[in-house]
Structures are given as structure tokens and as C-alpha cells.
């Protein structure tokens, strides 16, 4: 309870303008939301607004498609989290729209299947980033910083564990 104070305070600030009993607001602050998930906050706020008006909240439109990249898998994970939040809210505030609850359950199962399929076919997906070029760039920058005039360089100038590199080679660790 005490470790989630910042998240609870953030949720409470989102709900200040919504007319709900304090018990309901407290229950909503306990919602399982990641602090960086804006779509989950929007789902929670929409649910609270509908709850205050006595209306049934719906799942809303979420794009659920087969993943082609790892970013698509990440998006599906966020959709899964939002659907899980919606189902948690329906569990805590029962008696509303059971049809929407069933829709969310079936959508969540579909998302799980797509995530599993996307992760199992990970070798077929293209990456949108490249660590090799980044590491090469960082290595060159490190070599430039170490490229001091040889006459000024002594073993005391180098970080512990490094030896003076040969002209063509980069820094090497002692073994």
C-alpha cells in the first residue's frame, strides 16, 4: 500500500473533477496501473466518468492486429494491460454491462494469442533499432578520448585495468 503513494496521488488528481463517493474514488486509486501507461489512465478516467453518471462503461476501440515488429508486440502488451484494467474495474464495480465484460475477456484472449504468436515468430520480425552501430559509435568516441599524445601517456593516466593500446587497436583489458 505505502509503496504506491505517488501512483495513488496521481490517480486521485485525475479523479478530483469527477463526482464520485470517496469510497469509489479510493477503490479507483487502488487500480493496477503502471505509472507510465497513459492509455490505462484514460481507460480509468473514462470508467470513473461513466460510473459517476450511472452509465455502463465500454471497452472502447483498440487496434488489435497481428504483430509484424517488436513495437507491435509492445503495443499489444499495452492493450492487454488496458483490458486487464477494464476487467479489474468491472470486478470491483459489478452489475454494469456484462456484454462489455465478455467482449473484453474475448479480446484479452485474442491479444494473448497474438502476443504468443508474435514472440514465437520473433526471428521473422524486423528490428527497428541496431545496437551494433550504436556500440561502434560509442567505441570510437572512447578511443578518441584515450588518443592522447603517446609522450604524455603513462600507465597512471589510464583507467585501472587498461593497457596502452597499439596504434590500430582499441583499448584492451588486462587478463
Amino acid at each position: 500500500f505505502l509503496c504506491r503513494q505517488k501512483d495513488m496521488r496521481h490517480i486521485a488528481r485525475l479523479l478530483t473533477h469527477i463526482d464520485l463517493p470517496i469510497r469509489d474514488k479510493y477503490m479507483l486509486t487502488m487500480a493496477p496501473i503502471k505509472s507510465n501507461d497513459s492509455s490505462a489512465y484514460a481507460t480509468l478516467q473514462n470508467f470513473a466518468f461513466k460510473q459517476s453518471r450511472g452509465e455502463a462503461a465500454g471497452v472502447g476501440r483498440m487496434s488489435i492486429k497481428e504483430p509484424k515488429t517488436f513495437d507491435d508486440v509492445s503495443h499489444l502488451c499495452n492493450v492487454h494491460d488496458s483490458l486487464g484494467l477494464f476487467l479489474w474495474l468491472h470486478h470491483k464495480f459489478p452489475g454494469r454491462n456484462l456484454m462489455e465484460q465478455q467482449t473484453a475477456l474475448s479480446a484479452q484472449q485474442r491479444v494473448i494469442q497474438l502476443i504468443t504468436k508474435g514472440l514465437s515468430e520473433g526471428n521473422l520480425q524486423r528490428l527497428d533499432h541496431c545496437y551494433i552501430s550504436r556500440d561502434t559509435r560509442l567505441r570510437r568516441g572512447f578511443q578518441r578520448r584515450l588518443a592522447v599524445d603517446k609522450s604524455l601517456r603513462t600507465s597512471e593516466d589510464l583507467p585501472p585495468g587498461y593497457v596502452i593500446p597499439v596504434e590500430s587497436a582499441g583499448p584492451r583489458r588486462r587478463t
Side-chain angles (χ1 to χ4, degrees):
F1 171 74
L2 294 177
C3 63
R4 292 192 62 234
Q5 285 182 348
K6 288 182 182 179
D7 295 338
M8 290 174 65
R9 187 173 48 228
H10 183 72
I11 293 170
R13 285 186 186 138
L14 282 175
L15 302 176
T16 54
H17 67 280
I18 299 175
D19 186 31
L20 280 171
I22 192 75
R23 180 182 171 129
D24 289 350
K25 283 186 180 183
Y26 176 74
M27 185 64 68
L28 290 170
T29 60
M30 300 300 287
I33 296 179
K34 294 178 189 173
S35 59
N36 59 352
D37 192 358
S38 59
S39 65
Y41 282 121
T43 301
L44 180 73
Q45 201 169 19
N46 181 38
F47 188 90
F49 183 72
K50 298 276 184 158
Q51 184 76 13
S52 70
R53 295 178 145 204
E55 299 174 6
V59 177
R61 307 252 323 144
M62 296 183 189
S63 65
I64 300 174
K65 60 180 182 175
E66 260 191 58
K68 297 192 183 348
T69 66
F70 286 108
D71 288 338
D72 293 343
V73 173
S74 177
H75 171 72
L76 286 175
C77 289
N78 289 336
V79 170
H80 181 269
D81 290 344
S82 292
L83 290 169
L85 172 65
F86 183 80
L87 292 169
W88 184 89
L89 290 168
H90 267 278
H91 176 73
K92 295 297 180 180
F93 297 95
R96 294 289 178 202
N97 193 347
L98 293 178
M99 195 61 136
E100 286 292 329
Q101 188 175 3
Q102 291 300 319
T103 302
L105 277 170
S106 64
Q108 192 177 39
Q109 291 301 316
R110 173 78 174 132
V111 167
I112 290 171
Q113 289 172 352
L114 290 174
I115 290 172
T116 304
K117 182 179 179 186
L119 291 176
S120 66
E121 296 175 359
N123 57 351
L124 302 176
Q125 298 176 356
R126 64 177 167 74
L127 293 173
D128 290 337
H129 57 278
C130 181
Y131 292 112
I132 297 171
S133 63
R134 189 195 107 225
D135 289 348
T136 304
R137 188 177 66 249
L138 290 173
R139 199 172 296 117
R140 284 184 188 143
F142 182 70
Q143 287 173 350
R144 271 188 247 122
R145 286 193 299 274
L146 284 180
V148 181
D149 186 12
K150 280 188 176 184
S151 63
L152 299 177
R153 189 183 303 173
T154 63
S155 60
E156 291 85 31
D157 296 334
L158 294 173
Y162 282 91
V163 295
I164 298 172
V166 182
E167 194 70 53
S168 62
R172 292 176 283 161
R173 286 204 173 270
R174 289 185 195 153
T175 55

